[in-house]
Amino acid sequence: AKARGVSKKIFNAAMGDFSPITKVLDLSKKQPEFVSTVADYVGKRVTDGQAGKGQDMRAEWTKTLGVIAERYGVQPEAILAIWGIETNYGGYMGGNNTPHALATLAYGGYRASYFGSELITSLEILQAGHVAPGKMVGSWAGAMGHPQFMPSSFMKYAVDFKGDGHEDIWGSVPDALASIGNYLKSFGWRTGETWGYEVKLPADFNYQNVWSGITATLGDWAGVGVTRANGKAFPRASDTARLYMPMGGNGPVFAVLPNFDVIKRYNSSDSYALAVGHLADRIIGVKGFASAWPKDTALNKSDREQLQALLSRKGYEIGKPDGVIGPKTRAAVIDWQARAGLLPDGHVSGNLLRALS
């Protein structure tokens, strides 16, 4: 810390009373006990209440968001959606002392090099005077303030919107919202484009086009029968998109644009990006999804291995069951579904496992 310009005074203020935080150590060792479906993930995060609160925040911060949108070219509702999902619009930013949480993770050997580096960076932020030591709080893993930035992200993307010399993502909503906008812009947010559209697929659709990750213009997708779920035309046929089918062809399907992947730079999860995009739409005033989510369950690794073993017994050469749904397994699923009179969408789920058993 000293070599990075941190004074003894700041170091002592931040770390003088440090002792490892038991709760943080426990959370670093906790393994997920179940796999949730995309429907569950989105449903918990995008509610009428969250959408309504987002609309209230949009009204409260209209002027600020307008300036941010002009400066960074990012849709205000996307910024609000990330704020809402990350911290409930600042309602809960995490109650952990950030330097202490990071020091605990480094001490406990949990990705020690990474969290040790983040710890020193957090001390540099304190040295620069952006926040007082006692007010640098965040999640157990060190994500800080309204936008839940790690210290290294703070250094790259935090913005002093107020112009007071401090990039205060803890106490200043304008600084926090501008920082989210700057983050998205830095990763290539396309001004004037949305994140994606819910779509309907034609009856004879080749679902390999979903799993192969083909990117095409919306005009080209429309040419093979892909239409918007609300019946409207795509605003710009030249925008490019790939198809995202989180729970099979009997549930909502989406044509996702490049901004979907920009959102994933915030959290590398399709479910997260869908939740952010959908909450942004709900804040605008769009209702729920046109298609209902199917009643289904997600599969853990053991379940996927069982599914592969069942396919092997039915004569499909997909190799040793390993729980990884690769091209061979996907092709086998599509073929078996077609032979069984099911929708050949290649979606692997609890319903498919039960049908195979």
Side-chain angles (χ1 to χ4, degrees), residues 75 189-197 236 239-240 257-259:
Q75 173 188 349
W189 184 272
R190 297 195 182 191
T191 304
E193 292 187 13
T194 185
W195 64 273
Y197 304 95
R236 290 174 305 279
D239 287 353
T240 59
L257 279 64
N259 285 341

Side-chain angles (χ1 to χ4, degrees), residues 45-107:
R45 290 161 177 81
V46 185
T47 63
D48 291 343
Q50 279 291 78
K53 192 169 183 179
Q55 290 168 342
D56 291 342
M57 290 297 177
R58 182 176 59 177
E60 181 177 349
W61 298 102
T62 296
K63 186 176 179 180
T64 297
L65 287 165
V67 175
I68 291 170
E70 185 174 347
R71 183 179 300 177
Y72 300 107
V74 179
Q75 173 188 349
E77 290 80 12
I79 294 172
L80 288 165
I82 286 177
W83 186 28
I85 287 177
E86 290 294 334
T87 59
N88 189 24
Y89 308 102
Y92 183 70
M93 294 184 277
N96 297 285
N97 178 303
T98 295
H100 288 200
L102 293 169
T104 297
L105 292 166
Y107 163 83

Side-chain angles (χ1 to χ4, degrees), residues 233-273:
F234 293 113
R236 290 174 305 279
S238 60
D239 287 353
T240 59
R242 60 182 171 83
L243 299 183
Y244 170 46
M245 186 177 65
M247 291 189 67
N250 290 317
V253 181
F254 307 91
V256 296
L257 279 64
N259 285 341
F260 184 87
D261 292 319
V262 174
I263 296 170
K264 286 179 64 177
R265 298 303 297 262
Y266 216 98
N267 180 327
S268 186
S269 158
D270 285 337
S271 298
Y272 176 87

Side-chain angles (χ1 to χ4, degrees), residues 4-355:
R4 298 263 285 270
V6 177
S7 69
K8 186 174 181 180
K9 178 181 179 181
I10 289 295
F11 183 86
N12 287 340
M15 299 299 297
D17 60 345
F18 168 72
S19 62
I21 305 170
T22 302
K23 179 180 69 172
V24 170
L25 288 172
D26 291 343
L27 286 168
S28 72
K29 298 170 185 175
K30 187 176 181 181
Q31 297 298 318
E33 297 178 0
F34 63 94
V35 181
S36 66
T37 65
V38 176
D40 290 337
Y41 183 97
V42 175
K44 289 176 181 177
R45 290 161 177 81
V46 185
T47 63
D48 291 343
Q50 279 291 78
K53 192 169 183 179
Q55 290 168 342
D56 291 342
M57 290 297 177
R58 182 176 59 177
E60 181 177 349
W61 298 102
T62 296
K63 186 176 179 180
T64 297
L65 287 165
V67 175
I68 291 170
E70 185 174 347
R71 183 179 300 177
Y72 300 107
V74 179
Q75 173 188 349
E77 290 80 12
I79 294 172
L80 288 165
I82 286 177
W83 186 28
I85 287 177
E86 290 294 334
T87 59
N88 189 24
Y89 308 102
Y92 183 70
M93 294 184 277
N96 297 285
N97 178 303
T98 295
H100 288 200
L102 293 169
T104 297
L105 292 166
Y107 163 83
Y110 179 75
R111 298 173 63 194
S113 177
Y114 170 74
F115 285 109
S117 176
E118 293 289 338
L119 167 61
I120 303 303
T121 304
S122 75
L123 298 176
E124 289 182 292
I125 294 168
L126 293 174
Q127 181 67 42
H130 295 298
V131 63
K135 294 184 178 180
M136 180 183 266
V137 297
S139 75
W140 68 269
M144 309 181 302
H146 287 272
Q148 292 291 277
F149 278 1
M150 293 299 292
S152 57
S153 291
F154 177 97
M155 286 297 205
K156 294 176 183 175
Y157 309 112
V159 171
D160 174 19
F161 184 86
K162 302 188 310 302
D164 63 358
H166 302 297
E167 295 153 8
D168 184 7
I169 63 171
W170 299 268
S172 168
V173 170
D175 281 7
L177 298 181
S179 297
I180 295 172
N182 185 40
Y183 186 98
L184 296 176
K185 178 190 177 183
S186 298
F187 285 106
W189 184 272
R190 297 195 182 191
T191 304
E193 292 187 13
T194 185
W195 64 273
Y197 304 95
E198 185 181 354
V199 298
K200 288 191 176 296
L201 306 179
D204 60 350
F205 188 75
N206 179 2
Y207 286 89
Q208 285 287 11
N209 289 328
V210 175
W211 302 115
S212 61
I214 292 173
T215 296
T217 67
L218 292 172
D220 288 339
W221 285 121
V224 296
V226 178
T227 59
R228 286 184 70 181
N230 62 10
K232 298 180 180 179
F234 293 113
R236 290 174 305 279
S238 60
D239 287 353
T240 59
R242 60 182 171 83
L243 299 183
Y244 170 46
M245 186 177 65
M247 291 189 67
N250 290 317
V253 181
F254 307 91
V256 296
L257 279 64
N259 285 341
F260 184 87
D261 292 319
V262 174
I263 296 170
K264 286 179 64 177
R265 298 303 297 262
Y266 216 98
N267 180 327
S268 186
S269 158
D270 285 337
S271 298
Y272 176 87
L274 178 61
V276 168
H278 186 48
L279 180 54
D281 285 351
R282 292 290 304 276
I283 293 170
I284 290 170
V286 175
K287 302 303 180 185
F289 298 119
S291 298
W293 292 108
K295 293 188 181 299
D296 206 346
T297 53
L299 302 183
N300 59 28
K301 186 174 185 289
S302 176
D303 294 330
R304 295 193 299 271
E305 289 174 350
Q306 181 184 352
L307 184 142
Q308 290 172 318
L310 290 168
L311 287 170
S312 294
R313 289 175 202 160
K314 294 182 183 298
Y316 292 100
E317 296 182 3
I318 58 175
K320 183 180 178 181
D322 59 5
V324 178
I325 308 301
K328 289 184 179 179
T329 300
R330 193 76 66 186
V333 168
I334 290 174
D335 183 78
W336 183 83
Q337 287 172 321
R339 293 173 184 272
L342 303 174
L343 182 70
D345 59 9
H347 178 62
V348 171
S349 68
N351 286 344
L352 176 66
L353 180 59
R354 286 184 285 274

